[in-house]
Amino acid sequence: MNKIFIIAKREFLIRVKNRKFWLATLLGPMILAIFIVVVGFILGYDGDDEKHVVIIDRANLFDGSIKDQANFYFSFSDKDVQGLRNTANREYDGILYIPVISGVEEDQVEVDFYSDKNLDLEKLTSLKSIISSEIRDYKLKEMNITQRQLDQLSTRVIVRTEKLDPDWASQNKEGAKSSEFSSYLGAGLGMAMGFIMYLIVFINGSMVMKSVMEEKTNRIVEVIISSVKPFELMMGKILGVGVIGLIQFLSWVLLIPTVVLIGNVFFGFETDLQALEDMQRTGNISSDDMEFMVYQFISEMDKIPWFKVISLFVLFFIGGYLIYSSLFAAVGSAIGDDMHDSQSLVLPITIPVLMAFYIMMTTIRVPDSSLAVWSSIFPLFSPIVMPARLAFDPPFWQIALSLVLLAGAVVALVWISGRIYRVGILMYGKKASFKELAKWIFYRE
Amino acid sequence: MDTLEIKNVSKSYGNFVAVDKISFSVPKGVIFGLLGPNGAGKTSLIRIINSITAADEGSIEFFGEPLIRMHQQKIGYLPEERGLYKKMTVQDQLEYLGKLKGLSGVETKDRIENWYSIFGMEDWGKKKIQDLSKGMQQKVQFVSTVLHEPKLLILDEPFSGLDPVNTNLMKNEIIRLKNSGTTILFSTHRMEQVEEVCEKIVLINKGALVLEGEIDVVKQKYKDHLFQFEFGGNQIPPLEQENCQTNGNGQNIILQFDDIKQANNQMQIWMAEGYVIKSFKEILPSINDIFIKLVTTEK
């Protein structure tokens, strides 16, 4: 055990001391976060040229007053277009002519915009939306409809989900009923956890494989295993790289949101709020709805059994990582220094990981389908699929069975990998076939 | 008590027999040559002694106890294929390998210092292995092998890749270790080195033991009773015998006799005939000759 620790410590330190580790751990997520901020900025870029627009309001839509918005500065004029055109020192970029509107029946109003330069798409859309909203208010007034009456027309439907089980109701107090938001939240959380598992398995698994190959081509492996058991060497490596993976994972999870937040503050630009404001302006959602959604979201967040979810996630993480990294170690031991050789041997490990990933994606939509249930119990898939189901509160027996099978698979696969590894690291020359690997498992020590 | 007592050890990989019922013993405090051509089974045997692999059959005793993995801590192994972590510093590397052999941190550091001064490596600690020359790497590798003061030191081709100066340095160090009581198992196919440093040898070929014994005894056993006569005065006797060679300036002749008595008789005859004999000696085979003879006749 002590020797496993010494080996794990070296595997950890050698990576931490390498500049590349810090690049990947700190700079990687920062670059990604900055990328997210910059892309957000570019996509939400309004343009910075301001337009001074003179409105000739024949319909009297604006009642002589309008707020400057979206880089438009408005003023009103009583002159006609021709008169404005002939003004000597023009202090405006464009003239907006709004004709008289005949009545509420009119479903299309044509306004004229005069300017030397064409309006860009962004400004055109803003202008249309400003006028459309004013016409709407005008029509409401003409039809004697108040905003209140209009609001009363739309009805919010909320589906509360509750279990049939009579015990459940008595155990759960008021407020335990969950709304549809729990499904969204569960899906988001499940997706995030499944995706993280997938990344960790792949990135760290191949790190272990590379490290095994390096020792083999360096030939140092023979020196090391004249001091420790091959199994201890393999486990030390897996543990050391595992801690590295955990640190990198934490750094990514913590740094990306932090930098995105700081970036948004710095740019004075809030992607999400902007989008919500747009939604409000176009009338798709009222501010009451917004508050309701935020309230729902927070109360649902509160209801997720975080301790259970996170501790189970950690268990599945450990299981999945042990299974796949030991398989990667076995493959690394069976090949030489040529990465290309590894393809055919790595493929059988890649396939279950990829399958699990796709099953996880459908699991989020239908977490209780039989595909989702059985995949979350099958040990090669469960580390990726079960975390995606955790937020949907799967039955206890499924979690228990999944964990028991996972533990069994960890023991079996780590053992098999160890058997292959101990022979593989001493075999030089061409890479081994599957038949040979199978033979190695049964070689006597 | 012998350092190693190897009894009937066999090991096969699939259908290939790497080690075939080998028995010999390695006495304490000697340099013991393990000889054999490439693929003879030397490395397989060494791996068994190192507990890297286990024998299929037979037993090994280490200082009278059945060999177990724990004995790894008392064995030092310098494999033929050298290997170090290229990106680690010399100090980190040596500390790591020392700790894996069960040394404490402080112990390791003290011993490393000591070896630095023996090999003149004082300012190497912070250098990375990849920045060292091959000869320097060899020294680091050697130090890593002996750091834990093993009772048995297994050296597989220890001089390969070393220049004459470093070879000499290493040879002296090996002899010094031997004198301080370390048993050294020296595996090689370079026979001239064997004669220089080994006291006892075994020769294995195709997994089986071919020859075992002290170097002098082995040479006596495999001698061809060849004798060399050096004549003076520009006169050599007419040579009628078969198996007769001349060399030198035509002043030396080498003849084969049944034994030394017969050679002496012949010398007396020549002297009586008036030939001047400047020197007379028996030619013993080199280990190299014996090695080639045994290995090729086996085939």
Side-chain angles (χ1 to χ4, degrees):
Chain A
M1 202 60 211
N2 183 31
K3 285 184 177 170
I4 293 182
F5 177 73
I6 297 172
I7 291 163
K9 193 174 145 198
R10 191 201 83 88
E11 293 288 337
F12 176 77
L13 285 179
I14 196 83
R15 284 177 176 78
V16 169
K17 282 181 187 167
N18 192 332
R19 206 181 306 129
K20 272 191 222 147
F21 168 80
W22 294 105
L23 286 180
T25 309
L26 294 180
L27 226 55
M30 293 233 256
I31 288 171
L32 187 68
I34 289 168
F35 182 75
I36 291 171
V37 171
V38 169
V39 165
F41 178 74
I42 292 170
L43 288 181
Y45 187 67
D46 274 344
D48 45 10
D49 61 326
E50 293 160 352
K51 294 261 187 232
H52 186 184
V53 175
V54 176
I55 303 176
I56 303 172
D57 188 9
R58 296 288 183 244
N60 203 20
L61 278 181
F62 295 100
D63 236 351
S65 81
I66 179 172
K67 240 171 66 185
D68 296 333
Q69 50 187 293
N71 285 335
F72 279 115
Y73 294 92
F74 296 109
S75 60
F76 292 91
S77 173
D78 295 333
K79 293 182 186 167
D80 58 7
V81 176
Q82 206 54 40
L84 281 171
R85 268 182 163 169
N86 293 336
T87 315
N89 297 319
R90 286 213 306 255
E91 287 178 341
Y92 51 84
D93 306 293
I95 305 165
L96 178 67
Y97 177 82
I98 305 171
V100 176
I101 296 168
S102 56
V104 291
E105 316 75 49
E106 214 155 336
D107 59 357
Q108 182 171 315
V109 173
E110 283 172 21
V111 303
D112 299 314
F113 188 77
Y114 303 86
S115 75
D116 292 336
K117 274 188 245 166
N118 277 341
L119 273 185
D120 57 58
L121 206 60
E122 179 84 33
K123 289 237 165 16
L124 190 65
T125 317
S126 308
L127 200 62
K128 273 162 77 174
S129 125
I130 291 167
I131 299 166
S132 158
S133 139
E134 288 303 324
I135 293 177
R136 181 172 170 275
D137 288 351
Y138 157 80
K139 284 183 174 175
L140 284 175
K141 215 162 101 188
E142 291 292 301
M143 293 160 89
N144 277 326
I145 301 172
T146 60
Q147 181 66 43
R148 197 178 140 74
Q149 284 172 317
L150 198 70
D151 288 347
Q152 280 165 350
L153 278 178
S154 77
T155 314
R156 193 162 53 215
V157 177
I158 297 155
V159 181
R160 289 179 187 281
T161 56
E162 198 173 337
K163 299 215 167 144
L164 266 177
D165 185 356
D167 293 340
W168 194 84
S170 58
Q171 278 165 16
N172 289 274
K173 295 183 189 75
E174 186 63 26
K177 287 176 187 170
S178 52
S179 72
E180 61 192 298
F181 280 89
S182 68
S183 302
Y184 293 132
L185 196 64
L189 192 66
M191 169 98 181
M193 292 203 289
F195 191 64
I196 287 166
M197 277 303 305
Y198 167 79
L199 280 183
I200 291 180
V201 161
F202 256 129
I203 295 175
N204 291 10
S206 47
M207 242 193 251
V208 169
M209 184 175 83
K210 244 185 91 187
S211 164
V212 170
M213 285 166 68
E214 230 175 79
E215 277 179 0
K216 194 178 160 180
T217 35
N218 262 353
R219 308 276 174 147
I220 191 159
V221 70
E222 195 148 350
V223 175
I224 305 291
I225 58 172
S226 68
S227 301
V228 304
K229 285 186 204 163
F231 186 75
E232 291 174 316
L233 178 58
M234 185 179 92
M235 287 316 287
K237 204 174 276 300
I238 287 173
L239 288 184
V241 174
V243 175
I244 289 283
L246 216 56
I247 290 177
Q248 280 181 331
F249 156 67
L250 284 178
S251 139
W252 282 74
V253 165
L254 295 178
L255 266 181
I256 293 180
T258 313
V259 175
V260 168
L261 204 70
I262 293 172
N264 281 342
V265 169
F266 182 74
F267 278 93
F269 171 83
E270 282 278 355
T271 327
D272 289 342
L273 285 184
Q274 183 85 24
L276 288 173
E277 269 171 31
D278 284 347
M279 277 165 79
Q280 277 190 49
R281 200 168 60 208
T282 49
N284 285 344
I285 197 163
S286 74
S287 60
D288 280 357
D289 272 333
M290 271 298 304
E291 277 164 33
F292 178 75
M293 269 171 68
V294 171
Y295 167 75
Q296 278 290 337
F297 185 74
I298 290 168
S299 69
E300 289 303 333
M301 286 280 280
D302 224 29
K303 267 185 246 161
I304 287 181
W306 287 105
F307 179 74
K308 187 174 131 194
V309 167
I310 290 174
S311 46
L312 282 173
F313 177 81
V314 169
L315 283 182
F316 279 100
F317 164 74
I318 293 171
Y321 175 69
L322 283 177
I323 285 183
Y324 281 104
S325 56
S326 65
L327 287 177
F328 272 111
V331 166
S333 77
I335 46 185
D337 48 356
D338 193 356
M339 259 314 223
H340 296 291
D341 273 355
S342 64
Q343 306 291 356
S344 63
L345 286 176
V346 170
L347 199 66
I349 311 177
T350 318
I351 289 173
V353 179
L354 281 177
M355 275 177 70
F357 183 71
Y358 287 113
I359 294 171
M360 182 268 284
M361 301 288 264
T362 65
T363 297
I364 289 158
R365 284 188 291 114
V366 254
D368 292 320
S369 70
S370 49
L371 175 71
V373 169
W374 292 111
S375 302
S376 66
I377 288 169
F378 178 62
L380 282 180
F381 297 160
S382 63
I384 293 174
V385 179
M386 189 54 107
R389 290 187 66 216
L390 285 178
F392 297 101
D393 198 17
F396 173 74
W397 71 267
Q398 290 177 9
I399 298 176
L401 179 60
S402 177
L403 278 175
V404 168
L405 288 180
L406 184 65
V410 166
V411 172
L413 287 170
V414 169
W415 182 80
I416 287 175
S417 301
R419 303 283 294 183
I420 294 176
Y421 177 82
R422 102 211 126 105
V423 179
I425 46 175
L426 292 173
M427 293 282 176
Y428 297 108
K430 70 173 180 61
K431 70 157 195 187
S433 65
F434 285 112
K435 215 175 129 191
E436 283 169 290
L437 293 194
K439 269 196 211 158
W440 292 357
I441 298 171
F442 301 105
Y443 268 0
R444 287 185 53 192
E445 234 177 79
Chain B
M1 189 185 296
D2 287 338
T3 301
L4 276 180
E5 178 80 54
I6 296 168
K7 288 179 198 156
N8 274 319
V9 166
S10 297
K11 174 82 183 173
S12 2
Y13 295 98
N15 293 326
F16 176 71
V17 182
V19 179
D20 190 9
K21 293 197 183 100
I22 283 185
S23 303
F24 63 88
S25 56
V26 181
K28 188 176 177 295
V30 299
I31 303 182
F32 190 95
L34 175 62
L35 319 180
N38 295 323
K42 297 191 300 281
T43 304
S44 295
L45 187 61
I46 288 173
R47 283 178 178 170
I48 294 169
I49 298 169
N50 269 312
S51 299
I52 290 175
T53 53
D56 296 340
E57 282 170 48
S59 67
I60 297 180
E61 281 180 8
F62 184 75
F63 288 101
E65 296 170 26
L67 182 78
I68 50 167
R69 191 181 288 276
M70 278 302 288
H71 290 132
Q72 279 184 338
Q73 308 221 350
K74 292 176 178 160
I75 300 175
Y77 175 37
L78 181 76
E80 180 177 5
E81 297 281 358
R82 306 293 144 68
L84 294 166
Y85 291 108
K86 301 239 176 314
K87 287 181 178 155
M88 267 178 122
T89 63
V90 172
Q91 181 77 21
D92 285 352
Q93 183 113 227
L94 290 175
E95 281 183 25
Y96 175 60
L97 293 172
K99 279 179 196 160
L100 285 185
K101 281 290 185 192
L103 293 181
S104 74
V106 185
E107 246 176 331
T108 319
K109 276 183 186 146
D110 286 350
R111 292 187 190 184
I112 291 171
E113 285 304 314
N114 188 29
W115 278 102
Y116 279 172
S117 61
I118 291 174
F119 279 138
M121 303 165 34
E122 283 90 347
D123 52 349
W124 289 17
K126 290 209 168 81
K127 283 188 184 157
K128 282 189 180 167
I129 300 293
Q130 61 190 5
D131 300 329
L132 300 180
S133 73
K134 218 173 164 195
M136 291 159 97
Q137 290 185 22
Q138 290 265 49
K139 283 188 194 172
V140 176
Q141 186 110 41
F142 182 79
V143 172
S144 77
T145 311
V146 294
L147 207 54
H148 59 294
E149 292 173 1
K151 299 249 185 296
L152 171 64
L153 182 58
I154 301 173
L155 305 172
D156 200 351
E157 302 291 352
F159 305 126
S160 75
L162 285 182
D163 62 32
V165 177
N166 281 319
T167 303
N168 221 28
L169 191 69
M170 201 76 86
K171 206 184 290 169
N172 291 339
E173 222 27 68
I174 292 169
I175 290 167
R176 197 181 66 80
L177 283 168
K178 182 209 108 170
N179 290 338
S180 66
T182 312
T183 306
I184 291 153
L185 188 63
F186 181 108
S187 165
T188 186
H189 58 263
R190 305 263 312 265
M191 297 307 141
E192 73 282 3
Q193 293 170 352
V194 175
E195 296 197 39
E196 278 176 61
V197 294
C198 294
E199 292 140 71
K200 262 192 101 171
I201 55 165
V202 289
L203 174 60
I204 60 176
N205 190 30
K206 293 179 190 163
L209 191 86
V210 179
L211 167 77
E212 182 193 0
E214 282 166 36
I215 289 217
D216 296 339
V217 178
V218 167
K219 282 189 170 184
Q220 287 297 330
K221 188 177 168 194
Y222 285 91
K223 68 184 177 185
D224 292 322
H225 302 282
L226 290 174
F227 296 90
Q228 177 177 313
F229 302 87
E230 188 187 355
F231 293 92
N234 285 331
Q235 276 211 312
I236 59 168
L239 300 167
E240 295 144 7
Q241 264 179 290
E242 287 173 35
N243 294 333
C244 174
Q245 312 162 28
T246 57
N247 62 11
N249 304 322
Q251 299 295 309
N252 295 337
I253 59 173
I254 296 167
L255 289 172
Q256 190 173 38
F257 294 93
D258 291 338
D259 54 28
I260 191 151
K261 212 165 190 175
Q262 201 189 7
N264 274 318
N265 289 340
Q266 182 62 55
M267 188 159 60
Q268 277 170 351
I269 294 168
W270 282 331
M271 282 159 81
E273 287 171 355
Y275 292 104
V276 179
I277 294 176
K278 282 166 79 178
S279 72
F280 165 72
K281 70 172 177 193
E282 183 172 20
I283 295 180
L284 287 175
S286 67
I287 294 293
N288 197 41
D289 296 333
I290 298 169
F291 179 87
I292 291 171
K293 189 175 164 188
L294 286 173
V295 168
T296 48
T297 51
E298 280 253 320
K299 280 174 189 162

